[in-house]
Amino acid sequence: MHRLAAELPGLRRTLHRHRAFRIRQLAELADLDHLDTPGPGPRPPGDPIRGPEGNAPEVRALVEAGARMALHEIEQALRRMEAGTYGRCVRCHAELPVALLRAIPRTRMCLPCQHGGVPLPHSAPASRWTSSGPSAG
């Protein structure tokens, strides 16, 4: 039996719920675009549409980029589930901890690979690590 067999239904539901949220979020952000169209007269400082610095379009663009990236990662995770590769690091193919998948179901890489392939001190044998990193030897 696959080690994630009991977890997959719940993880799949969570991913679908996250996907629906991101789609709604992107639709709402698209609906706000019309608010950036200049209207008659200048907007007052602190206008809720533009924000205190008048930077709502820039902030919204950053939020939208993050939502698009999250949606893409969610859809990739769902495809990995269908392909039977979900729960393995896409770089080194190590099994991802179930706790990590529960916390961030769209996770695609193990922690060492997320940090550039450098083993993390807490994931390596203690004897190989000093306070400044791996010991020589």
Side-chain angles (χ1 to χ4, degrees):
M1 180 176 206
H2 190 268
R3 73 182 179 95
L4 292 177
E7 300 286 335
L8 281 177
L11 291 167
R12 184 177 285 112
R13 280 191 304 276
T14 299
L15 284 166
H16 279 291
R17 200 170 50 250
H18 290 189
R19 182 178 182 275
F21 167 78
R22 293 302 179 178
I23 289 170
R24 279 192 316 275
Q25 182 183 32
L26 288 166
E28 289 170 7
L29 288 168
D31 287 345
L32 291 175
D33 284 342
H34 75 280
L35 297 176
D36 289 327
T37 306
R43 293 197 188 268
D47 183 320
I49 293 172
R50 296 229 185 242
E53 302 297 320
N55 60 2
E58 293 84 6
V59 172
R60 197 164 43 254
L62 290 172
V63 171
E64 182 178 348
R68 285 188 189 288
M69 183 185 315
L71 179 60
H72 177 73
E73 291 171 354
I74 291 164
E75 289 176 341
Q76 283 183 328
L78 289 167
R79 282 193 291 275
R80 287 193 305 277
M81 278 185 175
E82 294 304 315
T85 59
Y86 182 79
R88 291 204 166 269
C89 176
V90 297
R91 184 178 287 165
C92 73
H93 308 289
E95 289 184 351
L96 300 176
V98 174
L100 178 61
L101 294 170
R102 283 186 196 129
I104 310 169
R106 67 181 195 236
T107 299
R108 53 188 222 108
M109 285 193 281
C110 64
L111 295 175
C113 287
Q114 287 180 29
H115 294 280
V118 177
L120 300 175
H122 64 274
S123 64
S127 62
R128 289 196 52 231
W129 288 87
T130 66
S131 60
S132 61
S135 61

